[in-house]
Amino acid sequence: MTRARFPRTLLLLAIPVALLLIPTITSLLIDFWWFQEVGYDVVFTRSLLTKLLLFVIVSALTALVIGGNLAFAQRGAVPEPVVVRLGDATQQVDLTGVLRRFTRPVTIVLALIIGLGATALWDTVLQFLERSPFGSTDPIFDRDIGWYVFTLPALAAVLGMVRSLITLSLIVLVPVYFFRGDVVLLPRGLRIEPTAGRHLGLLLALWFLTGAGTLWFVDSANLLFSNTGPMIGASYTDLNVMLPALRVSALAAVVGAVLVLIGAARAQLGWYGFLGLGVYAAVSVLGRGVAPGLVQKFVVAPTELTRETPYLAYHLDATRRAWGLDSVEARDLPGESNLTLTDIRANGPTIDNVRLWDRAPLLRTFKQLQEIRTYYDFVSVDDDRYWIDGKYRQVLLSPRELNTASLPTRTFINEHLTFTHGMGLTLSPVNEVSPEGLPILFVQDLPPRTNGALQVTRPQIYYGELTESHVFVNTKQREFDYPSGEANVFRAYTGTGGVTVGGLFRRSLLALHFGSSNILLSGDITSESRVLYNRQIVRRVQKALPFLTFDRDPYMVIAQDGTLHWIQDAFTSSTRYPYAFRATDGTSYMRNSVKIVIDAYHGSMQAFIADVNDPLVNTWSRVFPGVLRPLSELQEDLRPHLRYPDDLFRRQTALYATYHMDTPDEFYSREDQWQIPVTDRVDGSVPFMRHIIMRLPDEPEAEFIYMAPFTPRGKDNLAAWMVARNDGDNLGRLRVYQFPRQSLVYGPRQIENRIAQNPEISRQLSLWDQRGSEVIKGDLLVIPIEQALLYVQPIYLQADGGRIPELQRVVVAFGDRVVMRETLEAGLTSLFGSDVDAPAVRPIPVGVDAVADTPTVAAPSADVQAMITDARRRYQAAIDAQREGDWARYGVEIRELGSLLERLEAIRAPRQ
């Protein structure tokens, strides 16, 4: 009967196991094919092999420890069976057979659970095996920083796992021995059968010894990450009270182990065991609980700065090194500097690239003018720079991606076979405006049309920020490329991306993985078709390089050959840098060590080492050979588009606001703490951080920089400003310009207040508001020129109910003076006066020819004048329709305007 049930039980267990394993194996195969496609199969195989080895080793060790201890406890030499007594002594249940029957399944389940948990340590193991020295040591134990980053986590994991297995063994053994009658609670104490006593005593001694090792090596080292003092790192109390207490506790644990072994040998484990535990507990409570609290309160707190000064110095130094603040170049600026129109003209590249278009208004404008169809979408607008017609120009660009959620009909064929990719991008200079207040577009329309030196030869975007779903290419269905009038243009994919569908086996796995039977049944998908998946840029690189963290915003670049590429910044980071500031996510060390380039058409990825001095990236390059390549191998036309990552710069500027104070006294009192000013928007407060092209003080050429201003904490005047440099050999360098503390330099908040209080500006904005238009104030730009600061703020108008903001005015402020004019040039001229040696500043919009002086001609006839008036009316009606998003009426008015112009041309022609 029992033998008949056993196979049936195994079968019942095998069914759920198979249901779990089939999706897992399927997912592994799908991932393996994908890693082969991108050329990073070494990442997949080595990480998977490490996980498998950890699983096997830890599971086997767990089974050996748990199973071996249970088997020894159930040995036949012990006379007493495992029983549970019910009521009087005559009523009892023999559990010996039940326990023997369930020992193996319980052991296997525990081994599997613990083995699976150990697989999460794959990166810890690989980093330990290929560890790199940092070349600097901690100030307390004089160990290389690499010991804390690579060795300490591995050591803590090993000791923790061994101690957990011992603890688990004790937890399962004590009830077994209790029910066998080997452990008996008596009124006057505890009686333990000698063999059981020796078994439990040995385990308890090992528990004490592993605890001693943890206290001596791991917990002592972890003091360097303590936060008991006024900073992160070992404080006065940690080093003078807690560290000795940890050493004494470790010795007490060794004493406890000795006592337990003596008790087990003398068949008195109960008494000696309680004595050992008592000694260890007393030392731990007094030494690590009571004493540190008393010393901190009565010794350290009254004279905290005096006691903590050396440790504050350690913290300052470690934080600046861990976060790359030690390399910030500091420059001083005079508190008062004047600007003239000559200075303005001497900084032409800076003025020519003042960003008059904010990202949010420009994104709305792009959506209305350039999405073309409802299923296209612009996700975000990014800053970049290009040489265009011999000029270094800052531009704003946004890829036109396919949004399958907006397809008119969402079917399997439409979402996965026909509509497979986005199309091109829209690119606009930051400072040019049409006569209607709209941006000038250097790249626009479908297929993309370009203006100037830029060209887009391969506009298809198969990999982007909105490409969440998988698609099939080279199918029997035609792929939609772009709309063209009343017809559509179709084009087959000729790239190298994707995984071949292949035969029935692969098809079945793909259908199972993506949860769609259409993949298996569709006659449009052939064996030569390819499936493109993991196409969303950030998730794509996260899957390919799981040992890195990534900047939130990848950006698109146009290569010289007209192809489109994404650039993604990646970071190496650690939570184990001693004495360094720890962020809310635990990070205490961070470097922008990797730049990743993703082809928007092929999906190919290339990861380049940007910081060869980073020990973490050097470790990972040895763990996964061939994955991280030298930056010198990056194609030359993409190098000028590399930039300092936004996420890292935000963290560094937030830290530098405090950690520019480099003496313990100043840092402790926070006397000169800064803050990054913010501007209030509908969607929340946004820091004043901008990309701009400018010439830094004492530098010969204008360059693309990322800038952040600082104000004193709780104040609005400017204290300093920091830049991250992006061009050439200066890529990655940080510089801060500081004003004297005693000087008053207006900050962004103060300038905003002065603009709001200006009666002329306030009156005009109120007038526009009353006429039904929405006034949108753009970002206030802080523009360093020479050694002074110029402020510029664009003003947009949006018709009531309309969706297209138009640039109407530009506010320019310097010192106490504020003006608002139609153009930036007019504002600068008004603010700084005319320049007799320079031509009058009169901007000519792109696409509009300058009109030379002409002799007086006869007035037009009444019919011609009527047609001109009607043309003006039609033109204004078309502009109004464009603002309101009424494209049908816009088309009608434009056609009527064209007809009037043709009639005027016909009247004009005979006269020529």
Side-chain angles (χ1 to χ4, degrees):
M1 188 84 175
T2 303
R3 291 184 179 179
R5 284 186 193 153
F6 189 66
R8 192 181 306 162
T9 304
L10 283 180
L11 181 61
L12 291 175
L13 288 173
I15 292 174
V17 170
L19 292 175
L20 289 174
L21 286 179
I22 290 174
T24 302
I25 294 173
T26 300
S27 180
L28 285 174
L29 284 173
I30 298 294
D31 285 347
F32 178 64
W33 297 335
W34 182 82
F35 274 95
Q36 281 187 317
E37 174 217 335
V38 299
Y40 287 0
D41 46 313
V42 65
V43 177
F44 177 85
T45 54
R46 188 157 296 185
S47 58
L48 179 61
L49 182 60
T50 305
K51 292 176 183 178
L52 287 175
L53 287 174
L54 282 172
F55 175 76
V56 171
I57 292 171
V58 173
S59 295
L61 180 62
T62 302
L64 180 64
V65 172
I66 303 297
N69 281 298
L70 282 173
F72 184 80
Q74 299 173 63
R75 65 201 181 285
V78 179
E80 297 291 336
V82 180
V83 298
V84 176
R85 291 176 173 83
L86 303 174
D88 56 57
T90 61
Q91 295 181 339
Q92 59 184 26
V93 179
D94 189 348
L95 298 179
T96 306
V98 176
L99 183 61
R100 288 183 184 276
R101 190 178 303 121
F102 281 96
T103 294
R104 184 172 296 176
V106 169
T107 301
I108 292 174
V109 170
L110 289 175
L112 291 176
I113 293 173
I114 296 175
L116 285 173
T119 60
L121 298 172
W122 70 271
D123 53 346
T124 301
V125 171
L126 290 176
Q127 286 187 89
F128 171 73
L129 294 176
E130 297 290 351
R131 57 194 180 277
S132 302
F134 271 64
S136 57
T137 59
D138 75 273
I140 304 302
F141 302 113
D142 198 32
R143 297 188 183 109
D144 187 89
I145 302 300
W147 188 87
Y148 296 92
V149 174
F150 303 118
T151 304
L152 181 58
L155 178 61
V158 171
L159 288 173
M161 186 167 297
V162 171
R163 201 169 198 221
S164 298
L165 290 178
I166 296 170
T167 303
L168 190 58
S169 298
L170 288 170
I171 290 173
V172 299
L173 285 177
V174 170
V176 172
Y177 279 127
F178 178 78
F179 289 127
R180 291 184 68 92
D182 295 336
V183 176
V184 180
L185 289 172
L186 299 174
R188 294 185 178 182
L190 186 67
R191 180 179 66 82
I192 303 177
E193 187 269 333
T195 307
R198 287 191 292 273
H199 187 191
L200 294 174
L202 178 61
L203 289 176
L204 195 55
L206 290 173
W207 185 84
F208 272 119
L209 291 175
T210 53
T214 301
L215 289 167
W216 192 275
F217 295 105
V218 177
D219 292 349
S220 296
N222 281 335
L223 288 178
L224 274 61
F225 309 102
S226 168
N227 59 358
T228 57
M231 75 289 173
I232 300 296
S235 62
Y236 177 91
T237 302
D238 291 323
L239 294 178
N240 292 278
V241 181
M242 185 63 77
L243 181 60
L246 288 171
R247 304 296 198 205
V248 173
S249 295
L251 294 176
V254 174
V255 171
V258 173
L259 289 173
V260 166
L261 291 175
I262 292 174
R266 295 184 176 182
Q268 296 179 337
L269 178 61
W271 190 87
Y272 279 93
F274 281 121
L275 178 60
L277 289 171
V279 171
Y280 176 72
V283 171
S284 298
V285 171
L286 292 175
R288 290 187 281 154
V290 177
L294 293 175
V295 171
Q296 183 68 30
K297 183 175 182 179
F298 295 107
V299 177
V300 176
T303 55
E304 187 174 50
L305 178 58
T306 302
R307 302 281 186 184
E308 303 289 9
T309 292
Y311 314 113
L312 285 168
Y314 297 154
H315 172 69
L316 287 169
D317 180 64
T319 297
R320 292 168 70 89
R321 283 189 284 115
W323 289 93
L325 302 180
D326 58 329
S327 60
V328 175
E329 181 185 0
R331 299 282 182 92
D332 291 327
L333 292 175
E336 296 181 2
S337 295
N338 194 24
L339 273 183
T340 65
L341 196 59
T342 302
D343 296 324
I344 297 296
R345 297 189 186 284
N347 287 269
T350 302
I351 299 301
D352 290 344
N353 288 284
V354 172
R355 198 174 83 178
L356 299 181
W357 285 105
D358 287 352
R359 292 184 181 185
L362 188 63
L363 182 61
R364 293 202 294 271
T365 302
F366 282 174
K367 284 177 176 289
Q368 291 300 310
L369 299 182
Q370 285 293 305
E371 280 185 355
I372 312 296
R373 293 290 189 272
T374 58
Y375 42 78
Y376 287 126
D377 200 357
F378 292 103
V379 181
S380 61
V381 175
D382 292 310
D383 289 90
D384 205 352
R385 68 282 197 199
Y386 290 83
W387 282 94
I388 301 175
D389 298 330
K391 292 184 178 181
Y392 197 41
R393 304 293 301 271
Q394 184 175 348
V395 300
L396 291 164
L397 61 89
S398 184
R400 184 186 292 104
E401 297 203 48
L402 180 71
N403 187 350
T404 55
S406 299
L407 288 173
T409 306
R410 299 188 62 182
T411 63
F412 174 78
I413 291 178
N414 277 349
E415 290 191 44
H416 300 288
L417 276 68
T418 302
F419 293 90
T420 57
H421 57 274
M423 191 66 179
L425 70 155
T426 298
L427 183 147
S428 171
V430 296
N431 64 325
E432 291 193 19
V433 187
S434 73
E436 298 79 33
L438 299 175
I440 298 297
L441 301 180
F442 282 0
V443 181
Q444 60 184 317
D445 297 342
L446 290 174
R449 294 189 298 109
T450 59
N451 179 18
L454 293 176
Q455 59 173 341
V456 179
T457 58
R458 196 180 61 200
Q460 292 81 8
I461 302 173
Y462 281 85
Y463 300 85
E465 294 183 271
L466 280 183
T467 49
E468 302 284 353
S469 63
H470 60 280
V471 296
F472 291 86
V473 296
N474 300 336
T475 66
K476 294 181 180 179
Q477 281 287 333
R478 294 188 302 169
E479 283 185 58
F480 173 81
D481 200 32
Y482 62 88
S484 179
E486 299 299 326
N488 291 326
V489 176
F490 295 85
R491 180 172 299 173
Y493 179 70
T494 59
T496 59
V499 172
T500 303
V501 172
L504 181 61
F505 175 69
R506 280 202 174 197
R507 268 200 173 200
S508 302
L509 292 183
L510 289 169
L512 179 63
H513 179 74
F514 292 115
S516 174
S517 60
N518 290 319
I519 297 174
L520 189 61
L521 303 176
S522 174
D524 294 322
I525 301 174
T526 70
S527 60
E528 300 301 320
S529 299
R530 304 177 71 85
V531 56
L532 281 57
Y533 53 101
N534 297 327
R535 298 190 301 144
Q536 205 277 340
I537 293 299
V538 175
R539 278 194 283 279
R540 187 173 181 84
V541 294
Q542 285 174 341
K543 192 170 189 67
L545 303 168
F547 49 89
L548 301 175
T549 56
F550 301 92
D551 191 82
R552 78 188 78 177
D553 186 26
Y555 56 98
M556 178 167 278
V557 170
I558 307 173
Q560 283 185 354
D561 61 359
T563 56
L564 303 180
H565 303 265
W566 295 94
I567 295 181
Q568 173 73 65
D569 282 290
F571 312 107
T572 51
S573 59
S574 175
T575 60
R576 308 295 301 177
Y577 199 103
Y579 266 107
F581 170 85
R582 189 162 55 241
T584 53
D585 61 356
T587 302
S588 58
Y589 172 90
M590 195 172 191
R591 290 291 186 274
N592 176 216
S593 298
V594 179
K595 305 282 187 180
I596 305 170
V597 177
I598 306 99
D599 191 297
Y601 186 74
H602 296 290
S604 56
M605 283 186 290
Q606 293 178 309
F608 302 94
I609 298 177
D611 186 354
V612 295
N613 298 316
D614 175 35
L616 279 169
V617 80
N618 291 328
T619 291
W620 286 118
S621 66
R622 290 196 299 271
V623 170
F624 301 116
V627 170
L628 303 176
R629 305 162 64 178
L631 190 61
S632 58
E633 296 183 13
L634 174 64
Q635 63 186 73
E636 285 298 323
D637 57 327
L638 295 182
R639 288 180 66 90
H641 297 282
L642 299 179
R643 68 185 187 193
Y644 206 88
D646 178 69
D647 286 354
L648 180 59
F649 189 61
R650 287 176 184 270
R651 291 197 183 208
Q652 288 178 313
T653 51
L655 283 172
Y656 198 78
T658 299
Y659 287 89
H660 72 277
M661 299 177 284
D662 53 6
T663 63
D665 291 1
E666 191 178 25
F667 176 81
Y668 182 82
S669 64
R670 302 291 202 273
E671 185 269 333
D672 190 30
Q673 188 171 14
W674 299 340
Q675 64 187 13
I676 299 175
V678 297
T679 181
D680 295 327
R681 290 182 181 171
V682 176
D683 55 350
S685 298
V686 179
F688 283 94
M689 302 176 69
R690 304 289 181 268
H691 286 95
I692 56 175
I693 288 179
M694 63 164 290
R695 183 173 66 83
L696 294 172
D698 303 324
E699 294 293 337
E701 301 291 337
E703 56 187 285
F704 186 62
I705 58 117
Y706 195 15
M707 180 212 177
F710 294 105
T711 61
R713 184 181 61 177
K715 303 293 183 181
D716 291 330
N717 58 290
L718 210 63
W721 49 278
M722 176 184 278
V723 296
R725 306 176 72 180
N726 296 282
D727 289 350
D729 294 336
N730 293 319
L731 174 64
R733 295 181 180 176
L734 300 176
R735 181 182 291 180
V736 64
Y737 293 89
Q738 303 180 84
F739 296 103
R741 294 191 191 181
Q742 67 276 10
S743 66
L744 175 61
V745 179
Y746 287 127
R749 282 283 191 182
Q750 293 170 318
I751 295 297
E752 282 185 334
N753 292 335
R754 296 189 70 84
I755 293 173
Q757 294 167 3
N758 184 284
E760 177 187 347
I761 297 175
S762 178
R763 187 184 314 111
Q764 182 63 64
L765 297 185
S766 299
L767 182 62
W768 280 330
D769 272 331
Q770 292 170 5
R771 291 181 176 177
S773 297
E774 179 187 357
V775 176
I776 302 173
K777 295 182 179 180
D779 292 340
L780 181 65
L781 305 175
V782 185
I783 305 171
I785 296 182
E786 300 297 338
Q787 295 185 341
L789 292 174
L790 181 72
Y791 289 90
V792 175
Q793 183 177 43
I795 303 295
Y796 310 94
L797 282 186
Q798 183 171 293
D800 190 17
R803 299 179 181 178
I804 302 179
E806 298 175 0
L807 181 63
Q808 290 295 323
R809 295 291 186 272
V810 179
V811 178
V812 185
F814 177 73
D816 294 326
R817 294 170 290 168
V818 179
V819 298
M820 183 173 73
R821 296 294 184 268
E822 292 188 3
T823 65
L824 173 62
E825 290 82 353
L828 292 172
T829 302
S830 175
L831 197 63
F832 296 103
S834 60
D835 188 345
V836 295
D837 297 327
V841 179
R842 185 169 67 111
I844 302 174
V846 173
V848 178
D849 296 331
V851 181
D853 292 335
T854 56
T856 304
V857 295
S861 65
D863 291 341
V864 171
Q865 185 63 51
M867 283 190 284
I868 292 174
T869 302
D870 194 20
R872 287 174 178 167
R873 183 178 62 80
R874 294 287 184 184
Y875 173 76
Q876 187 59 48
I879 294 300
D880 292 340
Q882 183 188 56
R883 292 173 181 168
E884 298 169 5
D886 189 346
W887 300 108
R889 184 160 62 91
Y890 174 81
V892 171
E893 298 295 345
I894 287 296
R895 283 194 296 271
E896 292 295 333
L897 176 61
S899 176
L900 285 168
L901 292 176
E902 289 176 359
R903 290 166 59 191
L904 285 169
E905 184 66 23
I907 294 173
R908 178 175 174 270
R911 297 181 182 178
Q912 294 182 337

